């Protein structure tokens, strides 16, 4: 009897030990948390200095540390796992039109606004303000992309708003505040304000001239710039922002307005949120369908000049699409390298496997090219007021970069996701979120074809813009034979290439030439050579991971994310 008892105890003990062994976690990388997103990105750091914002390095160090903390990373997950909720009415049946966000969303917003992501170039007009802000956005968006939408629209609204100085005076103090104030209250009671934009309607988004929302001037309005807006918008993101730049048809044609959520009399404006979109990605952010039922609005710019007025805003949000895509690629490749460094397969770490090195190095090339182009573009936003050449560059290069960097995003993130194997397909890794977000930058603020047609327009009508981009490309002449052949052909083809069907190919060639020119001048030879050989000549394949064998894979990976 005693013997049996002892045997049982031994058996149970053995079973417990073996159960413990099955739960021992082996060969799984530790989560990538508590790291400084800026300090580990030498491409971004050197671009910050080169493009004129070296002074901002301490701010970026601090912000990079903050967004890399385990806590901030958790906010990103929580804000996406708990998407915003719309309340159309209160319990008595009154319309309220309010959206409730998870506290994590507010934490992310507070961090971004406090660090000047919506205001820096306007509130501190020092040299390099747009460059510094672009780098900050690049870090914020790596942690969580959804909240950068209201931040971007607020930043971008300023140049359009300034076309109506009385309105700018009233709103700018709030827009440029570094205090995040999410309370749904009239402007006079708030310490900070956020701005959105509503152009897209059901019957036409790209073709805004098809807008049917009507604007009627209010007889006897105090300033004669007051209107009532009636109609709808099919997409209106961040509807809890304090005011929106809206396009509507007035007597003289399509006109731009500032439509606040509260009227000057302190009443809720007749801005009705119909429903929130159920989106593929960008889930932390609310995107809504709205109706304006005689909503009060103030005109910005002249009647009939709506597109010219709002295009100033759109130009800046397009820059942010480039930043957004560069940032997704950066986060994706960092996650992929981190995983490969800490995961073994077939007796060696993944990072030591030649084919994995090829994939990672190829992803690094694409990410670096995107970051460099984005930062060079940001400099042209800083310099364009005092330089016709930079103005021309900004005009054409914004569209070129928006098209190409956004197009590369989804394929890039897809490949990075695969580097994590099954783990990359699981929500707890950030990769599925990056993957769902990636196509968006190519859709909003002008979808691919529409951007390419805009590039054609610039080429046909704005020779200064073409000359500025050409000058920038030419700066790298004589250093790489593939580049010289590619740039020569492009220059020859440019004047004759202006047909719609060829617009995508042309946009792609311009983007690749710009990226190669920047890499040749500012990266290490290993990166520039591999980029030119595979992107400008046919020495690579169509998927990532098809660089030729002579490429220095380890050097490229180590440069991207030092181990
Ligand atoms: C998540 C999300 C949030 C958004 N938030 C906002 C917002 O806050 N405010 C806002 O105003 N809008 C917003 N949008 C709308 C967005 O800007 C539009 O969806 C976009 O501009 C495309 O317009 P559309 O959807 O009407 O498509 P369409 O204009 O119908 O275009 C459909 C397709 O046709 C192509 N196309 C159009 N014209 C041509 C042509 N001449 N030749 C060849 N191809 C062409 C386009 O490239 C596109 O691929 C948002 C969209 C999304 C997805």
């Amino acid at each position: 009897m005693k013997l049996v008892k002892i045997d049982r105890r031994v058996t149970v003990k053995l079973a417990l030990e073996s159960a413990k062994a099955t739960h021992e976690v082996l060969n799984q990388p530790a989560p990538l948390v508590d790291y400084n997103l800026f300090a580990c990105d030498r491409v971004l750091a050197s671009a910050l200095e080169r493009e004129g914002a070296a002074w901002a390095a301490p701010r970026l160090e601090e912000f990079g540390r903050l967004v890399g903390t385990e806590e901030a990373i958790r906010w990103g997950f929580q804000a996406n796992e708990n998407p915003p909720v719309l309340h159309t009415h209160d319990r008595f049946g009154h319309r309220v039109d309010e959206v409730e966000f998870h506290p994590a969303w507010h934490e992310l917003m507070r961090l971004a606004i406090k660090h000047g992501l919506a205001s820096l170039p306007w509130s501190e007009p020092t040299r390099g303000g747009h460059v510094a802000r672009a780098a900050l956005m690049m870090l914020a968006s790596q942690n969580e992309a959804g909240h950068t939408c209201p931040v971007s629209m607020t930043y971008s609204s300023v140049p359009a708003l300034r076309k109506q100085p009385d309105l700018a005076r009233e709103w700018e103090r709030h827009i440029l505040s570094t205090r995040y104030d999410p309370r749904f209250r009239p402007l006079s009671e708030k310490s900070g304000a956020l701005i959105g934009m509503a152009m897209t309607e059901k019957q036409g988004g790209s073709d805004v001239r098809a807008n049917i929302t009507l604007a009627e001037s209010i007889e006897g309005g105090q300033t004669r710039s007051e209107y009532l807006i009636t109609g709808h918008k099919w997409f209106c993101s961040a509807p809890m922002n304090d005011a929106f730049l809206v396009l509507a048809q007035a007597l003289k044609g399509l006109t731009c307005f500032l439509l606040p959520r509260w009227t000057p009399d302190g009443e809720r404006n007749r801005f009705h949120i119909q429903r929130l979109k159920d989106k593929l990605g960008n889930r932390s952010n609310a995107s809504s369908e709205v109706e304006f039922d005689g909503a009060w609005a103030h005109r910005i710019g002249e009647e009939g000049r709506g597109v010219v007025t709002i295009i100033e805003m759109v130009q800046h949000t397009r820059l942010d699409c480039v930043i957004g895509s560069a940032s997704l690629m950066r986060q994706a490749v960092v996650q992929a390298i981190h995983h490969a460094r800490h995961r073994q397969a077939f007796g060696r770490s993944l990072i030591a496997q030649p084919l994995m090195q090829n994939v990672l190095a190829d992803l690094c090339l694409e990410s670096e090219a995107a970051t460099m182009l984005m930062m060079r573009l940001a400099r042209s936003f800083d310099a364009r007021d005092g330089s016709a050449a930079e103005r021309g560059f900004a005009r054409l290069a914004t569209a070129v970069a928006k098209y190409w960097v956004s197009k590369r995003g989804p394929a890039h993130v897809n490949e990075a996701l695969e580097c994590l194997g099954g783990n990359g397909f699981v929500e707890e890794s950030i990769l599925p979120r990056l993957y769902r977000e990636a196509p968006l930058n190519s859709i909003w603020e002008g979808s691919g074809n529409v951007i390419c047609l805009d590039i054609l327009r610039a080429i046909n009508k704005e020779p200064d813009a073409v000359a500025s981009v050409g000058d920038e490309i030419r700066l790298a002449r004589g250093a790489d034979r593939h580049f010289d052949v590619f740039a020569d052909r492009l220059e020859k083809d440019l004047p004759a290439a202006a047909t719609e069907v060829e617009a995508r190919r042309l946009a792609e060639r311009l983007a690749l030439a710009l990226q190669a020119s920047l890499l040749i001048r500012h990266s290490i030879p290993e990166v520039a050579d591999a980029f030119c050989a595979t992107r400008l000549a046919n020495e690579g394949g169509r998927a990532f991971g098809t660089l030729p064998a002579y490429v220095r894979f380890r050097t490229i990976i180590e440069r991207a994310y030092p181990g």
Side-chain angles (χ1 to χ4, degrees), residues 149 153 196-208 233-238 244-245 277 279-282 285-288 440 442-451 453 500 504:
C149 168
M153 292 193 291
M197 115 169 61
M199 298 189 288
T200 311
E201 297 188 5
K202 295 187 187 84
Q203 70 286 351
S206 316
D207 184 8
V208 287
K233 293 292 165 182
W234 185 231
F235 277 95
C236 175
S237 286
F244 296 81
L245 266 70
K277 303 279 194 189
K279 297 175 288 185
L280 168 68
N282 198 254
N285 181 28
S287 297
S288 64
L440 183 53
S442 187
I443 294 173
W444 61 10
E445 308 308 327
S447 305
N449 287 353
V450 169
I451 293 290
L453 295 177
E500 284 196 17
R504 275 187 179 229

Side-chain angles (χ1 to χ4, degrees), residues 220-510:
Q222 278 178 335
T223 58
R224 291 171 151 265
S225 306
E226 297 176 31
Y227 289 71
L228 293 181
I229 310 283
T230 305
H232 76 279
K233 293 292 165 182
W234 185 231
F235 277 95
C236 175
S237 286
M240 286 307 284
N241 284 3
D242 297 277
F244 296 81
L245 266 70
V246 168
L247 287 182
Q249 301 285 359
L251 272 180
K252 291 187 185 159
L254 202 59
T255 305
C256 184
F257 297 91
L258 186 76
L259 194 157
R261 292 287 325 256
W262 293 80
T263 69
D265 303 331
E267 303 286 327
R268 284 169 193 245
N269 209 353
R270 299 175 73 79
F271 174 110
H272 301 317
I273 307 173
Q274 299 300 100
R275 59 174 172 162
L276 298 186
K277 303 279 194 189
D278 185 8
K279 297 175 288 185
L280 168 68
N282 198 254
R283 295 184 70 82
S284 62
N285 181 28
S287 297
S288 64
E289 294 163 19
V290 293
E291 287 188 3
F292 308 133
D293 180 15
W296 184 93
H298 193 296
R299 176 163 48 76
I300 306 177
E302 292 168 33
E303 266 199 20
R305 305 275 297 160
V307 174
V308 176
T309 307
I310 210 165
I311 205 74
E312 267 299 311
M313 179 172 186
V314 172
Q315 183 80 345
H316 287 77
T317 49
R318 284 181 180 169
L319 166 65
D320 281 1
C321 291
V322 184
I323 301 170
S325 288
S327 144
L328 292 174
M329 286 193 229
R330 169 70 190 166
Q331 177 62 197
V333 77
V334 163
Q335 292 286 347
I337 295 172
H338 173 77
H339 185 87
R341 280 199 178 123
H342 298 99
R343 174 85 169 173
Q344 305 262 328
F346 301 98
R348 269 196 297 180
S349 82
L350 282 177
I351 199 96
Q353 315 272 357
L355 192 49
M356 180 56 94
Q357 289 179 354
N358 196 333
V359 173
L360 292 173
D362 212 355
L363 293 173
C364 292
L365 293 184
E366 201 63 38
S367 165
E368 177 163 351
T371 302
M372 278 206 184
L373 181 54
M374 174 278 275
M375 291 294 275
R376 170 63 186 91
L377 185 61
R379 165 151 65 91
S380 68
F381 280 66
D382 277 318
R384 66 194 194 138
D385 282 344
S387 155
E390 287 299 311
R391 207 159 38 249
F393 184 84
R395 164 68 185 96
L396 181 55
T398 304
V400 166
K402 152 85 163 91
Y403 170 70
W404 186 241
V405 177
S406 304
K407 270 281 166 267
R408 296 297 276 166
H412 183 279
V413 176
N414 174 19
E415 197 63 63
L417 183 154
E418 193 172 317
C419 293
L420 277 74
N423 284 0
F425 205 69
V426 173
E427 287 293 335
E428 287 161 329
S429 83
I430 197 174
L431 271 302
R433 173 145 56 93
L434 302 181
Y435 184 66
R436 287 195 302 268
E437 189 73 20
L440 183 53
N441 290 312
S442 187
I443 294 173
W444 61 10
E445 308 308 327
S447 305
N449 287 353
V450 169
I451 293 290
C452 290
L453 295 177
D454 185 48
I455 291 170
L456 276 195
R457 249 190 319 278
I459 289 173
N460 287 328
K461 292 191 180 156
E462 299 182 50
D464 291 352
V466 183
S468 299
V469 168
D471 288 346
E472 180 77 22
I473 293 171
R474 243 173 267 123
L475 290 173
R477 274 269 164 77
D480 184 290
R481 69 197 157 90
H482 296 309
F483 175 78
D484 290 348
V485 171
F486 191 87
D488 279 349
R489 277 203 201 125
L490 178 62
E491 203 160 332
K492 247 185 248 145
D493 288 351
L494 255 186
T499 72
E500 284 196 17
V501 282
E502 292 166 307
R504 275 187 179 229
R505 183 74 187 114
L506 181 63
E508 183 175 323
R509 290 169 70 195
L510 279 165

